[in-house]
């Protein structure tokens, strides 16, 4: 109504129409590429990588074809951008890449396959050898990227100083774990006459990112040391020691697809002497191993013992990636100290709702996966989005960025499309 008041010519575009246009654009684009690949004696080099976001908890396999056309112009086309709905094993990824090549009829004209981070390993190449063997007559070899080799060399050298680097990463993550923590960090910076800024950890797959991290952190060395290991933690320990306080812990895993790192965040909730509910992030540390149930339970217990609250915990709330029966079984002794051995698992209502909704959506999994893949395909490159904008303009519509739903948020498919059921028409 507000938009119509300012612009009477405004016409609302239904989400179903937008989804239909995306699918039509995708089908037309794929048909055009197949026709182009069929004509002429073309050879192809494929590049494959995994795209993902920590928010949506989804990963996509992106496959691009590189080739020189009849006018001797080098072309790049994204030929697949599909959801990875299972474990990204070497065999599964190789099978998907082979399926894409066969879909476009280029499986016997591939001269090379370049694999990105998360895919580049000997097992995947062994599984892809038959695909390349059709063109090369069986002669296949693995050539690693120079940046990957450099990264391995640098990472091997950095193991000599792994402990201080892990401490720096954890300190940066701890400061950024909540607005309250960053506000305290800003306060410490002001007291020392420095201007606070957001700090970012390095990435495991980018060899020079550690240097960038250290260059940014060095001016804040004393502030970070005092904030993380000094006054802030000491003040919390002193606060927790005084008074007869009980605590509820909330734990979740934080991570980003860019940095390829995950952190265990532990927050303590308690009511102080003034009957005010408080929340304090008491740990934000790097997960440097497999996040098994036993390992995560051990870390949570270590945090509780560090602050001396291990026998005053009334409940532990586990976030996505932690909430399972195995983790709760491993945490039972921690809770048993307070409850006298009586421990039970109570699932979050949103987690239960998510399972119910997801179970119902399996009935329309195929059209939903098609919508997610189409949205991801349109957003996979600027060229694709420009083509999509062009299609929207031709239909008198305004193009906008669209986002897929999230597997762990039961109502997120409504954001992707207010009504998923109309997609059955497509």
């Amino acid at each position: 109504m507000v938009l119509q008041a300012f612009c009477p010519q405004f016409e609302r575009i239904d989400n179903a129409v937008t989804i239909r246009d995306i699918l039509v654009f995708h089908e037309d684009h794929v048909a055009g590429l197949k026709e182009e690949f069929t004509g002429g004696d073309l050879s192809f080099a494929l590049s494959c990588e995994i795209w993902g976001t920590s928010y949506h908890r989804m990963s996509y396999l992106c496959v691009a074809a590189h080739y020189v056309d009849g006018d001797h112009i080098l072309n790049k086309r994204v030929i697949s951008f599909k959801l990875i709905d299972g474990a990204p094993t070497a065999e599964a990824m190789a099978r998907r890449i082979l399926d894409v090549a066969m879909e476009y009829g280029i499986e016997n004209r591939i001269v090379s396959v370049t694999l990105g981070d998360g895919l580049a390993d000997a097992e995947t190449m062994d599984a892809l050898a038959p695909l390349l063997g059709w063109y090369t007559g069986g002669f296949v070899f693995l050539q690693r990227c120079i940046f990957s080799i450099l990264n391995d060399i640098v990472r091997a050298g950095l193991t000599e100083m792994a402990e201080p680097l892990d401490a720096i990463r954890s300190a940066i993550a701890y400061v950024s774990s909540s607005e309250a923590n960053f506000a305290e960090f800003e306060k410490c910076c002001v007291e020392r006459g420095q201007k606070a800024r957001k700090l970012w950890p390095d990435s495991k797959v980018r060899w020079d990112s550690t240097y960038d991290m250290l260059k940014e952190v060095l001016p804040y060395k004393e502030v970070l040391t005092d904030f993380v290991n000094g006054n802030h933690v000491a003040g919390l320990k002193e606060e927790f020691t005084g008074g007869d306080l009980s605590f509820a812990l909330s734990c979740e895993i934080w991570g980003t697809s860019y940095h390829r790192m995950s952190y265990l965040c532990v927050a303590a909730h308690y009511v102080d002497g003034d009957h005010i509910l408080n929340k304090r992030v008491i740990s934000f540390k790097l997960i440097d191993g497999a996040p098994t149930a036993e390992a995560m339970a051990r870390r949570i217990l270590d945090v509780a013992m560090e602050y001396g609250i291990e026998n005053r915990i009334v409940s532990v709330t586990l976030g996505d990636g932690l909430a399972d029966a195995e983790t709760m079984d491993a945490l039972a002794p921690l809770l048993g100290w307070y409850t006298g051995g009586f421990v039970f698992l109570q699932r979050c209502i949103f987690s239960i709702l998510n399972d119910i909704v997801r179970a119902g959506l399996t009935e329309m999994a195929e059209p939903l996966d098609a919508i997610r893949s189409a949205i991801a395909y349109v957003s996979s490159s600027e060229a694709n989005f420009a083509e999509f904008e062009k299609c929207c303009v031709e239909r008198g519509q305004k193009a906008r960025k669209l986002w897929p739903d999230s597997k762990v948020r039961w109502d997120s498919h409504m954001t992707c499309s207010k009504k998923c059921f109309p997609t059955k028409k497509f």
Side-chain angles (χ1 to χ4, degrees), residues 37-51:
F37 291 172
T38 304
D41 188 16
L42 302 176
S43 300
F44 298 88
L46 300 184
S47 60
C48 315
E49 57 184 332
I50 294 177
W51 287 37

Side-chain angles (χ1 to χ4, degrees), residues 10 16 21 25 62 71 91 136 150 164 172 176-177 190 192 239 262-263 285 292 305 350-351 362 380 384 392 406:
F10 173 78
D21 289 346
F25 162 74
C62 177
D71 297 325
E91 293 77 11
T136 62
L150 276 174
I172 293 173
S176 306
S177 63
V190 170
R192 293 174 177 270
E239 183 180 357
S262 296
Y263 298 84
K285 292 186 178 180
T292 61
M305 295 181 69
F350 295 107
S351 175
T362 56
S380 63
N384 282 4
C392 289
S406 170

